[in-house]
Amino acid sequence: MKTRIDPMRAQDDLEDLFATARHMPVRPSAALLDRVLADGLDAQPRPHTAPLMRPPAAAAGGLWSRLAALFGGAGALAGMGTAAAAGLLIGFAQPSNLATLEDAMLGSPLETVELVPSVDGFLVGN
Amino acid sequence: MPRDMQLEQLAQHTDAALLDRYAAGDPAAARALTLRLVPRALGYAARLLGDAAEAEDVAQEAMLRLWRAAPGWRSGEAQVTTWLYRVVTNLCTDRLRSRKRRPVTALEAAPEMADGGPGAVAGMIEADRMAALQAALDALPDRQRQAVVLRHIEGLTNPEIAAVMDIGVEAVESLTARGKRALSAILAGRREELGYEDED
């Protein structure tokens, strides 16, 4: 003959099981706690990390870093370098297009420009 | 300062305050948070998954996400435990989906419980009862299991559970009520086996 179970009693049993479960918590192993803590320390932001890291980085740059700082940053230094390289190239290669441009602007080849009258001319004139 | 004394002092801090200290680089806060939160994450995951090894993986992953979230954590937006329970819930749901619920084998896979120490026979009865409870929990639909465990084992309030599960309080009440009815029905046939008849 099948026994009929009182629903209230079944509820009480369940509450009893819950209470037991609350008092028997799952205990983490030491290995798990160690792993979690290691993750935490690895991921932890380091205080003063940025100020401490910057000076070695600057020193590592050496001459170029100091030059860049002197000329107002790496961008300015790069611009000056490019201009210097272009000047050297034009001076050595003397591109024909440049001569054409010179003729067009000045009309004829310019041999001499006397910016200060010679001493002889000065004396003759007086 | 000795480590134990430091931990004792930190134990008085809220979770959010500890997380702030962790984000500020205090290693003692990492230790205090680990000791405080891992048992909760692990216990909840073990109840949802019914598998101790998988529960450990989930607890570690959830804590890793917490460590990474710490620098951007804004106090007052969410409780740390609510956030952690939500992450554990999602990780467990993913695992349950991927493994396609095994047949109930919880008697073998039930997580190891701390020994209550009331004697060997009583201890065995308690272990049997916990295994039976776990087997019954495993038989519940996922959402009912989450709600019942959070309410009756983890001890959260209904509004807290609503925040964890991202549903309304009424839905929580409905899930826990249906879950308890189902558990009672499952366990009703095992009363004698679990030693309840002798106590009447």
Side-chain angles (χ1 to χ4, degrees):
Chain A
M1 185 177 160
K2 195 171 180 180
T3 313
R4 194 167 166 214
I5 295 164
D6 177 7
M8 289 302 290
R9 185 180 288 181
Q11 282 290 325
D12 289 345
D13 292 349
L14 192 56
E15 293 300 336
D16 181 59
L17 283 174
F18 287 147
T20 307
R22 282 195 294 273
H23 290 104
M24 292 178 73
V26 179
R27 185 189 290 161
S29 65
L32 174 63
L33 291 174
D34 286 348
R35 287 201 303 273
V36 170
L37 182 59
D39 285 347
L41 294 176
D42 274 352
Q44 187 164 34
R46 300 283 184 270
H48 313 302
T49 296
L52 286 174
M53 291 297 285
R54 271 177 199 147
L63 176 65
W64 289 114
S65 296
R66 285 199 294 276
L67 271 177
L70 187 66
F71 287 102
L77 188 63
M80 289 183 64
T82 307
L88 270 176
L89 180 69
I90 291 168
F92 277 108
Q94 294 185 336
S96 58
N97 288 346
L98 199 64
T100 310
L101 178 66
E102 185 185 295
D103 287 347
M105 289 183 71
L106 301 175
S108 61
L110 190 63
E111 297 295 337
T112 311
V113 176
E114 203 167 306
L115 296 175
V116 179
S118 67
V119 175
D120 293 343
F122 184 73
L123 290 173
V124 168
N126 287 301
Chain B
M1 184 185 297
R3 183 183 285 176
D4 288 348
M5 200 182 297
Q6 207 171 17
L7 281 175
E8 247 176 58
Q9 286 182 355
L10 289 174
Q12 295 163 9
H13 287 64
T14 63
D15 295 338
L18 281 178
L19 205 56
D20 274 349
R21 292 183 68 130
Y22 168 79
D26 181 357
R31 186 176 298 276
L33 282 168
T34 299
L35 293 175
R36 185 183 295 185
L37 298 178
V38 169
R40 300 186 77 167
L42 178 68
Y44 179 48
R47 294 293 177 198
L48 294 191
L49 294 168
D51 184 298
E54 274 196 287
E56 284 205 351
D57 290 346
V58 165
Q60 186 177 359
E61 174 64 27
M63 287 299 294
L64 185 59
R65 292 186 187 194
L66 179 66
W67 301 134
R68 288 174 178 162
W73 191 270
R74 280 185 242 168
S75 294
E77 266 190 12
Q79 277 195 9
V80 176
T81 46
T82 303
W83 185 93
L84 189 67
Y85 277 125
R86 189 183 303 154
V87 171
V88 170
T89 303
N90 292 339
L91 290 171
C92 288
T93 302
D94 290 346
R95 281 180 180 256
L96 290 169
R97 275 186 194 146
S98 67
R99 79 182 182 195
K100 288 197 165 189
R101 296 298 302 282
R102 295 186 301 230
V104 177
T105 55
L107 285 174
E108 292 76 29
E112 196 174 320
M113 305 297 170
D115 183 9
V121 175
M124 282 170 66
I125 291 173
E126 282 199 335
D128 283 349
R129 287 178 178 178
M130 287 304 92
L133 175 63
Q134 186 61 51
L137 285 169
D138 286 348
L140 293 182
D142 290 350
R143 301 291 274 173
Q144 285 183 25
R145 186 182 326 112
Q146 291 160 13
V148 167
V149 171
L150 287 171
R151 181 77 186 88
H152 294 286
I153 299 179
E154 295 300 316
L156 270 62
T157 62
N158 284 347
E160 286 171 337
I161 299 168
V164 170
M165 297 180 70
D166 202 19
I167 56 177
V169 173
E170 284 183 10
V172 172
E173 289 167 356
S174 168
L175 283 171
T176 49
R178 281 185 284 149
K180 282 177 72 177
R181 275 200 301 276
L183 284 178
S184 292
I186 294 167
L187 292 166
R190 302 186 63 181
R191 293 193 80 247
E192 194 172 350
E193 177 191 342
L194 296 175
Y196 282 111
E197 294 295 337
D198 294 340
E199 292 172 3
D200 293 337

